[in-house]
Amino acid sequence: MSGFLPDIANWALGGGAAQGGAAANNDGGEQQENNDGDGNNNNEPAMSEQEMRAKRMARVDERMAALEKESAAAAAAASSNNEDAPSSMDVDKPSQTGGDAQPMEVDEVIKPAAASSPKDVTMEPAPKKKMKAPPAPTDPLAKLRRKKTLLLRRVLLITFGDASTDRTPSCVHLPLDDDDIYNSTKSPSGVHVRHIAELLAARLSLSPSSRSLETIGQNSSKVGGLIGYLGGCHKRAGEEWKELKAQGNKKKKTKKEIEDDASLEELCGILEEIRSQVVSYAASSLMVPDLFELGIDAPLQLAKCLSTTSTDPTSSITFDALGKNSNFYYSVCEELHSQDAESFATVIGDVVKHITDSLSKVTSLLDEGSSEGVGGNGLFLASALRELCTNKKAAVSLAKTPSFLLPPANTPVASERVQPPVPHVPPGASQQQMALIRMMQNISNTTSAPYVRRSGPGLEKDTVLGLVLRLGVPSEHPSMASSFSNPATRTRKDVSQITDGFRRQLELYQGKCNELVKSLVVAGEESRKRVIQWLIDALLVNVNADGTRPDRAKVSSEELLMNLSVVLLKLCEPFINDPKKALLVDPGFVSSPESHGGIYITTGDNALPRLGENATTPYNPKNSFIPLCFFFCSRSLALTVVPGGSRYENIARNVYHTHRTIRQQNGDLRSDPRFNRLLQIQYAKEIVMMSPAYITDVFRYYNMVAGIFLTMEKDQLKTMPEHIVDDLCSVLVYASSFCAKLLSGADFGNLFRLTVKLLSKDYAQLVRNYNLRAKLGDVLHDIFLPGNSESHSEVPDSVTCDPLAGGQPYLTSDKLSKETLAPSLLLLYGEVENTGFYEKNDHRTKIAALLKFLWDSPEHKPAFKRITENKKSFATFANGIVNEMNDKFASVMETLPAIRTVQLQMANPQEWRALSEEERETITSRHENNEREVQRALPLCNSVMKMLGFLNTDKDIRDMFLLPDMCPRLANMLLHVLTKLVGSRGLGLKVENPESYNFRPKEMLQDLCVVFSSFAAADEFQIECARSGYYTPDLMNKSVKTCRKLALLKGESMELFALLATKVEDASKIMIGDEDLYRDAPEEFLDPLMQEFMTDPVELPTSGNIVDRKTITQHLLNDETDPFNRKKLSIDDVVPAKELKEKMKLWLDDAKAKRAAGDQS
């Protein structure tokens, strides 16, 4: 057909026959005009727009009615003469696809013999009604043919035919040898299902250099190559099919709509064939890449198509309008697998290889990515792997690739050393470019350093999941330095905005990692086992990653380990949110080496100690995957968030001390390079370590852990790895110090109850690690001590209070806490003596603050009454108090004058500048050490004095301090402190900013005198004060005068303190006489350690030596061994030396009698 009839709507709205409408005939050129030369109708008067439109619409209605009658008659005549030759013409409304209106169709026509000539149409003079143009007959087959042509343009993006009207710039024109497809005589209804394969073959057979392809521009089908084109065809065909089906399912109203159903079904059949054929061609091209020149790199094309998901998921080959299992990629995978499973695995392996090769060239999420290979950044490539696994068979094939796992342990390949290629330095590179290359090598964790195949670096360089999880936002990356440039000049709001931007980028990537691992896990048993083995390998090769400075030549990067913990937290999420599922965590998992793969071994260099003895429990899980995720996640967090918190704390401490040093030296913080660099590192670390999403997930996980531990029997709990409890304590203490705001809204009820339970008397022997027990005390102080208490951080009240108890603090509302916590803390106070030299100060300061809060709470009064029932526990507590005060206070009072001297020296610019730089550095370093020592010790000293004051208001507790093995030490300690405060002019000692050191000498003296007054009436205390080597009459009298002068004590307390001075002086006079008496005592009556006359001699069964009971008691409080041979010994083992004691009594009575007789004479 050579001519076209204008569509009826445009023809009518343009004025119809009276406006010069044209009718095309077979000759295609004859036309009669009814206008003047300018195309304007000079006979018709001007009409309004509304009148014109009304007349036009009336003509449309009349013409359509006549057209339908003539069309039906012409169609009947044509069918009787020739089934293949259409004899009528039809112009109908356009096909609606995809929900968008399409341009009006222009159908090819054959001029019928009965058609009216434009000459037969006469114009009526205005205002008479215009003459109607005779209707043109329609051809249903031509209309259908035209619909098919347009459909192929939209779906396959192709055109064909000889006429110029068959060309469209946005489509590829196919020069077909056989005109059967577009010849109206041979194919009156146009393209059939049988033609689709031929059309696709013609399109795919084009050469990449074909000029036909130049017309389509840079659309997705060209960028994605052959696979991208076929995927687009599949997706567009699905959208068209869905729309056509929706049209066919509409309620029928007219005869014409019913007749159109046949054409809709034929169009749907073509679309179904297109979807089937493009899948078949894609599968063939992937199996035989050289089948088409356009598909020579089909696996690479498939990888590129998969990677585009991150930018536009709805246009990817894994998205389809008909459902996820109908998409192009899924269908291709199923087709490939059904044809040849081995070829399918090979194709998937090739695709994975292309993706991982590109991944290996990306060093962080901050890289823009390479244009080589698959191209794109880390998010693109991780998305490609994630989309690849949307087909379970493909996921299994990925998991079975050789690069998925590390080589097995103890194999030659596992110990093989790998030397990565040294990055190429371009010839003629500038010094700046070379420096940048070296920096990038450092960022990528010693890229050029050799490594063992089965190691942390091997995991992230040679395994698929390692390559994915290793990407993050390293603090050393140049982008990080530029983003946080001049940090000392930035506002906190500015820093937060930058940090949030990096954090969103990281969390988006971690989401893809989570989806990738989850898709591998749910793909089937085979792929799940491979993922589990990878997790086991990852935890085993990184067993030493929890160090302060781990060896990166042996362990993986921080980014990989952090992403691994995020993935495992997400795997745990189903049972974190469901307490019933959490009960499926079987504690026997850690006792089953075949289940944990050697991660929780109890022997060897990498042994993980248990809370109790290394006992085992049977493992019979109802669900084996839940306990695996639970315990693997706990191990992963031990390698990431716990050491990460310690590293961040060290950085924050360095920032603080550098800040102070620069200020003291009158330096400029804004321009100091070292300070700015430290700030950059701190801000970079905050991206992860203060991420609300990550930290909140960690909190929820550990609260679930505590809940599970609370349900365990004691025999089960003692088999749990000790590090889990240690880690949850470390995380909570870190959060309270650096990100307390993130605690808001968190539920820590299980954590509180577990902490109290493990500190209780019943579990004291279960948790044998003193450092761990001390951490439990820190958690109670840092997290659960209410905000109106002293020594407390910014933890929200919503965390410290129990919502189920009307908002009361956990410390006063929990039943077990009210029964056991007070005695537990007293015991703990003594136990922390066995922790680090500096750490025990902090621990005891916090315990003292907790005890003060409990003492002031009526709910805990009964518990304090019961603490005297355990004499041994109380002795341990009291001994801890004495040891701390004797050691720390003396050191503080000696160090404060040195601090004052340096402060005065620094305040004198002339004197300070006169020193050499080396001398200034030495003095500054020593000064900082002295400050740290005082800042650690003084808070403890202050809290101990206050604690002694409030505890000894209770008579039963006061009597415990007066026991023979405790009273001498207490008197010595109190007099020692009194000597430092009063006898050495301690009250007059001054330092700059004393509050920064917690130095309040008058307040401490007041607390000390309160303690003295509480014991003033006790004869035992008076005697022990008189015996003390620190006692002098002048000291006591001067102290009394100072208290009165400063009004430190009032009323009865002041009178008791003054009375004590008199009583001690009297006792001292008596003691002087007793010392003369003991001077002549036999050697066997003297304590061999203290060289004092024994009052209660006991024999040590481990060595046979006899010592005074109070001496060995004090010794065993600090060291549970025999002082003579270091053998294990407890106070319960000693045996009273009754015969020696009786002998001593007789001698003493005789000596006193002789002295009395001498006095009388």
Side-chain angles (χ1 to χ4, degrees):
M1 298 296 177
S2 59
F4 292 92
L5 177 68
D7 83 89
I8 191 67
N10 285 338
W11 174 79
L13 293 176
Q19 191 65 17
N25 55 25
N26 286 334
D27 297 328
E30 186 175 344
Q31 179 178 347
Q32 182 170 344
E33 297 179 352
N34 220 5
N35 328 40
D36 60 13
D38 296 330
N40 299 320
N41 190 344
N42 296 324
N43 298 325
E44 185 176 356
M47 299 178 65
S48 67
E49 181 178 352
Q50 290 80 3
E51 291 173 336
M52 176 68 77
R53 180 170 294 276
K55 289 186 176 183
R56 287 171 177 169
M57 294 308 298
R59 288 197 297 272
V60 168
D61 293 338
E62 293 172 358
R63 180 168 176 76
M64 288 300 296
L67 198 60
E68 286 185 5
K69 294 180 180 179
E70 294 180 7
S71 177
S79 61
S80 63
N81 296 328
N82 188 349
E83 292 182 353
D84 297 329
S87 61
S88 62
M89 308 179 68
D90 186 22
V91 180
D92 204 342
K93 294 182 180 180
S95 169
Q96 300 295 320
T97 58
D100 297 324
Q102 302 295 328
M104 300 296 286
E105 297 177 1
V106 182
D107 293 338
E108 300 179 13
V109 300
I110 300 175
K111 183 177 179 180
S116 300
S117 171
K119 296 179 180 179
D120 296 332
V121 182
T122 59
M123 295 295 298
E124 293 182 356
K128 292 183 179 181
K129 189 175 181 180
K130 296 180 181 180
M131 296 292 292
K132 294 187 293 184
T138 59
D139 182 359
L141 296 179
K143 176 184 175 183
L144 180 58
R145 181 170 62 252
R146 185 60 179 163
K147 285 185 177 181
K148 291 178 180 178
T149 300
L150 293 176
L151 188 65
L152 294 177
R153 288 183 184 181
R154 291 193 298 271
V155 175
L156 298 183
L157 304 179
I158 61 172
T159 60
F160 47 86
D162 295 332
S164 60
T165 53
D166 293 330
R167 309 294 180 98
T168 301
S170 61
C171 297
V172 174
H173 187 75
L174 300 180
L176 302 177
D177 295 332
D178 184 2
D179 66 350
D180 179 59
I181 296 178
Y182 57 85
N183 188 299
S184 60
T185 302
K186 296 181 179 179
S187 300
S189 61
V191 175
H192 289 281
V193 169
R194 67 178 184 273
H195 298 135
I196 298 301
E198 180 183 349
L199 286 172
L200 281 171
R203 169 62 177 85
L204 301 180
S205 298
L206 293 174
S207 170
S209 59
S210 173
R211 294 186 60 184
S212 299
L213 294 177
E214 296 178 0
T215 63
I216 64 174
Q218 293 298 319
N219 57 32
S220 60
S221 61
K222 184 172 181 180
V223 173
L226 179 144
I227 299 298
Y229 167 73
L230 294 175
C233 293
H234 189 275
K235 179 176 178 294
R236 291 188 293 271
E239 293 170 350
E240 294 281 352
W241 186 92
K242 184 176 181 181
E243 180 62 25
L244 290 175
K245 283 294 184 182
Q247 292 179 22
N249 292 334
K250 291 180 181 178
K251 186 177 180 180
K252 307 301 183 297
K253 295 182 179 179
T254 66
K255 178 181 179 181
K256 183 177 182 302
E257 289 178 334
I258 296 174
E259 293 173 350
D260 284 343
D261 276 353
S263 64
L264 289 179
E265 288 300 324
E266 186 171 354
L267 293 176
C268 287
I270 291 175
L271 292 171
E272 290 168 0
E273 180 67 10
I274 289 175
R275 285 170 65 87
S276 174
Q277 288 295 334
V278 296
V279 168
S280 179
Y281 275 116
S284 300
S285 298
L286 288 166
M287 287 193 295
V288 187
D290 58 354
L291 182 63
F292 298 106
E293 192 175 356
L294 287 172
I296 196 69
D297 56 349
L300 176 59
Q301 294 176 18
L302 179 56
K304 288 183 176 181
C305 291
L306 291 171
S307 70
T308 60
T309 308
S310 61
T311 55
D312 189 4
T314 58
S315 65
S316 74
I317 61 174
T318 57
F319 177 84
D320 193 81
L322 304 184
K324 65 178 183 177
N325 290 341
S326 299
N327 64 67
F328 174 71
Y329 170 71
Y330 185 91
S331 302
V332 169
C333 287
E334 295 298 314
E335 176 70 15
L336 275 170
H337 192 272
S338 65
Q339 290 186 20
D340 188 344
E342 291 185 5
S343 296
F344 171 73
T346 302
V347 169
I348 296 299
D350 291 342
V351 174
V352 172
K353 181 69 165 55
H354 285 299
I355 297 173
T356 53
D357 284 349
S358 294
L359 263 175
S360 64
K361 298 173 184 176
V362 181
T363 60
S364 77
L365 293 181
L366 306 179
D367 297 343
E368 294 182 358
S370 171
S371 59
E372 300 178 1
V374 179
N377 57 26
L379 181 61
F380 274 63
L381 298 168
S383 298
L385 288 173
R386 161 67 185 95
E387 295 305 307
L388 182 142
C389 292
T390 54
N391 181 275
K392 292 185 177 181
K393 295 182 178 66
V396 172
S397 293
L398 184 152
K400 293 170 68 175
T401 56
S403 61
F404 192 81
L405 293 177
L406 286 175
N410 303 319
T411 61
V413 179
S415 57
E416 179 183 336
R417 293 186 67 81
V418 180
Q419 176 64 58
V422 179
H424 174 66
V425 178
S430 65
Q431 292 293 330
Q432 187 176 11
Q433 290 171 331
M434 295 175 66
L436 179 61
I437 292 173
R438 286 194 296 270
M439 184 183 298
M440 295 301 295
Q441 292 176 12
N442 291 332
I443 292 170
S444 58
N445 300 315
T446 61
T447 303
S448 302
Y451 61 91
V452 178
R453 284 208 180 275
R454 186 175 174 83
S455 65
L459 182 80
E460 63 183 56
K461 294 177 182 179
D462 298 336
T463 68
V464 176
L465 289 179
L467 284 166
V468 175
L469 295 179
R470 78 189 216 288
L471 300 182
V473 284
S475 57
E476 301 86 359
H477 196 278
S479 296
M480 201 69 68
S482 61
S483 298
F484 291 116
S485 60
N486 302 317
T489 64
R490 295 179 180 270
T491 63
R492 190 66 200 183
K493 181 179 180 181
D494 183 24
V495 172
S496 296
Q497 289 176 344
I498 298 172
T499 303
D500 289 343
F502 283 123
R503 194 172 287 149
R504 285 191 295 271
Q505 185 177 359
L506 176 61
E507 290 174 356
L508 178 62
Y509 183 77
Q510 289 173 339
K512 290 296 180 184
C513 296
N514 295 334
E515 294 172 6
L516 170 61
V517 174
K518 183 178 178 180
S519 62
L520 287 167
V521 169
V522 301
E525 184 66 23
E526 193 172 7
S527 62
R528 186 184 301 116
K529 287 182 179 179
R530 300 276 288 181
V531 172
I532 291 172
Q533 186 57 55
W534 187 90
L535 293 173
I536 292 173
D537 290 343
L539 295 175
L540 288 177
V541 299
N542 288 295
V543 67
N544 295 317
D546 57 349
T548 304
R549 292 184 178 178
D551 186 356
R552 293 301 173 193
K554 296 180 180 179
V555 302
S556 300
S557 63
E558 290 183 30
E559 289 74 29
L560 182 144
L561 294 170
M562 189 62 67
N563 289 335
L564 174 60
S565 69
V566 171
V567 167
L568 285 168
L569 281 170
K570 290 302 177 184
L571 289 177
C572 292
E573 199 163 71
F575 53 93
I576 290 177
N577 298 329
D578 188 344
K580 292 182 178 179
K581 289 184 179 179
L583 294 177
L584 296 175
V585 174
D586 192 321
F589 177 85
V590 296
S591 302
S592 175
E594 59 273 12
S595 299
H596 60 65
I599 294 174
Y600 285 100
I601 58 175
T602 56
T603 58
D605 295 337
N606 299 326
L608 295 177
R610 304 298 195 251
L611 283 174
E613 63 270 16
N614 291 330
T616 60
T617 55
Y619 182 51
N620 298 304
K622 296 180 180 178
N623 181 308
S624 61
F625 192 66
I626 287 180
L628 180 143
C629 291
F630 175 84
F631 286 106
F632 280 12
C633 185
S634 70
R635 192 68 196 126
S636 176
L637 292 174
L639 303 176
T640 51
V641 68
V642 176
S646 299
R647 292 168 195 148
Y648 179 82
E649 184 178 358
N650 291 335
I651 293 170
R653 188 181 296 116
N654 285 337
V655 170
Y656 170 76
H657 287 299
T658 303
H659 180 278
R660 290 192 66 231
T661 301
I662 295 173
R663 285 295 191 193
Q664 289 174 348
Q665 298 175 357
N666 298 319
D668 184 9
L669 290 170
R670 293 171 175 260
S671 60
D672 187 88
R674 182 168 179 267
F675 180 70
N676 277 274
R677 178 57 183 154
L678 285 173
L679 271 182
Q680 283 180 347
I681 297 174
Q682 181 181 9
Y683 293 156
K685 294 295 183 185
E686 288 177 0
I687 295 172
V688 173
M689 292 309 302
M690 291 191 181
S691 167
Y694 179 64
I695 296 299
T696 300
D697 283 346
V698 172
F699 291 158
R700 293 171 59 237
Y701 172 80
Y702 277 124
N703 192 60
M704 176 199 65
V705 170
I708 292 173
F709 280 16
L710 285 170
T711 63
M712 291 184 184
E713 299 293 336
K714 194 171 184 178
D715 288 341
Q716 293 177 324
L717 188 58
K718 67 183 180 183
T719 67
M720 290 297 96
E722 185 179 86
H723 80 83
I724 298 179
V725 178
D726 194 299
D727 294 343
L728 68 85
C729 291
S730 298
V731 168
L732 292 176
V733 171
Y734 161 80
S736 68
S737 301
F738 298 105
C739 49
K741 292 181 179 179
L742 298 182
L743 296 169
S744 181
D747 178 12
F748 289 159
N750 291 333
L751 285 164
F752 175 81
R753 287 182 280 274
L754 178 66
T755 302
V756 173
K757 180 177 181 178
L758 294 179
L759 284 174
S760 66
K761 178 182 177 182
D762 291 341
Y763 287 82
Q765 295 302 316
L766 177 64
V767 184
R768 301 165 299 169
N769 186 326
Y770 291 122
N771 288 292
L772 177 54
R773 290 179 61 77
K775 278 188 174 182
L776 292 169
D778 291 348
V779 168
L780 288 177
H781 175 273
D782 295 351
I783 300 295
F784 297 105
L785 190 62
N788 57 0
S789 304
E790 297 180 2
S791 306
H792 191 67
S793 63
E794 300 178 355
V795 175
D797 291 340
S798 61
V799 174
T800 64
C801 299
D802 185 359
L804 301 179
Q808 296 184 53
Y810 282 104
L811 286 168
T812 58
S813 62
D814 182 74
K815 180 181 179 182
L816 186 62
S817 170
K818 290 185 286 187
E819 294 175 353
T820 67
L821 191 53
S824 297
L825 290 175
L826 289 176
L827 174 63
L828 183 63
Y829 194 97
E831 291 177 335
V832 297
E833 180 71 25
N834 300 293
T835 60
F837 179 75
Y838 294 110
E839 289 79 2
K840 64 181 179 182
N841 297 343
D842 297 332
H843 295 321
R844 282 177 168 163
T845 301
K846 294 176 179 180
I847 294 171
L850 283 166
L851 286 170
K852 178 64 167 63
F853 176 82
L854 299 184
W855 181 267
D856 294 337
S857 303
E859 295 87 349
H860 288 269
K861 289 296 182 184
F864 276 102
K865 290 289 185 182
R866 293 194 298 271
I867 64 175
T868 57
E869 297 175 1
N870 189 334
K871 181 180 177 181
K872 181 179 179 180
S873 175
F874 186 86
T876 302
F877 159 71
N879 183 68
I881 289 180
V882 173
N883 286 344
E884 285 305 313
M885 288 302 296
N886 282 335
D887 181 35
K888 300 302 177 187
F889 195 73
S891 175
V892 165
M893 298 305 290
E894 292 173 1
T895 305
L896 283 172
I899 291 175
R900 178 60 176 167
T901 300
V902 176
Q903 288 177 341
L904 294 174
Q905 194 175 17
M906 289 181 172
N908 187 336
Q910 184 176 359
E911 180 183 354
W912 185 250
R913 285 195 297 268
L915 299 173
S916 66
E917 184 176 352
E918 183 179 355
E919 288 175 326
R920 289 198 298 268
E921 288 180 357
T922 301
I923 293 173
T924 301
S925 177
R926 185 168 58 247
H927 177 65
E928 290 176 351
N929 288 335
N930 288 338
E931 285 185 319
R932 283 194 292 270
E933 182 178 347
V934 170
Q935 288 168 344
R936 287 192 187 103
L938 267 177
L940 176 62
C941 296
N942 294 332
S943 63
V944 165
M945 279 300 158
K946 291 185 180 297
M947 185 166 55
L948 282 172
F950 68 73
L951 285 177
N952 285 294
T953 58
D954 183 269
K955 182 180 181 304
D956 293 335
I957 296 177
R958 191 165 60 245
D959 289 345
M960 295 292 288
F961 276 104
L962 292 175
L963 292 173
D965 52 356
M966 195 67 248
C967 189
R969 301 201 70 209
L970 175 65
N972 263 316
M973 181 270 289
L974 294 175
L975 288 169
H976 176 221
V977 175
L978 189 65
T979 301
K980 294 296 181 182
L981 286 175
V982 179
S984 301
R985 298 184 178 274
L987 294 177
L989 182 61
K990 295 181 179 180
V991 292
E992 291 182 5
N993 194 16
E995 281 300 319
S996 66
Y997 306 105
N998 291 287
F999 181 52
R1000 299 183 286 270
K1002 291 182 181 179
E1003 182 179 333
M1004 178 170 281
L1005 179 60
Q1006 181 182 34
D1007 294 335
L1008 179 63
C1009 292
V1010 167
V1011 177
F1012 270 117
S1013 65
S1014 65
F1015 288 101
D1019 293 341
E1020 309 95 304
F1021 185 73
Q1022 298 167 7
I1023 293 172
E1024 294 302 336
C1025 285
R1027 285 179 175 174
S1028 173
Y1030 294 107
Y1031 169 75
T1032 65
D1034 290 341
L1035 174 66
M1036 293 299 295
N1037 293 331
K1038 184 178 180 180
S1039 300
V1040 172
K1041 291 179 181 179
T1042 302
C1043 279
R1044 283 189 172 138
K1045 180 180 178 180
L1046 300 176
L1048 300 179
L1049 297 179
K1050 296 179 181 180
E1052 184 180 1
S1053 295
M1054 187 66 243
E1055 293 176 4
L1056 287 172
F1057 185 47
L1059 177 63
L1060 177 64
T1062 302
K1063 293 289 185 179
V1064 172
E1065 186 173 0
D1066 294 341
S1068 177
K1069 294 176 182 179
I1070 297 174
M1071 292 301 303
I1072 292 174
D1074 289 343
E1075 288 176 359
D1076 293 338
L1077 187 67
Y1078 297 148
R1079 189 175 297 115
D1080 298 328
E1083 184 71 20
E1084 63 177 327
F1085 295 170
L1086 302 181
D1087 184 288
L1089 297 176
M1090 304 300 295
Q1091 290 299 305
E1092 295 178 351
F1093 190 84
M1094 294 185 289
T1095 57
D1096 186 9
V1098 293
E1099 182 180 355
L1100 309 182
T1102 47
S1103 64
N1105 290 288
I1106 295 178
V1107 296
D1108 200 357
R1109 181 182 290 276
K1110 66 179 181 181
T1111 301
I1112 192 61
T1113 299
Q1114 292 174 11
H1115 168 79
L1116 292 177
L1117 287 173
N1118 299 314
D1119 185 357
E1120 295 183 347
T1121 61
D1122 188 318
F1124 298 98
N1125 58 16
R1126 313 303 299 169
K1127 291 183 179 180
K1128 192 71 175 177
L1129 181 67
S1130 70
I1131 193 63
D1132 297 330
D1133 297 329
V1134 300
V1135 180
K1138 295 180 180 179
E1139 293 183 3
L1140 179 61
K1141 187 174 184 179
E1142 183 65 24
K1143 186 177 179 181
M1144 292 171 64
K1145 182 179 183 302
L1146 293 174
W1147 178 90
L1148 186 59
D1149 291 342
D1150 183 61
K1152 288 180 177 180
K1154 289 180 179 179
R1155 186 177 65 178
D1159 292 340
Q1160 291 177 359
S1161 63

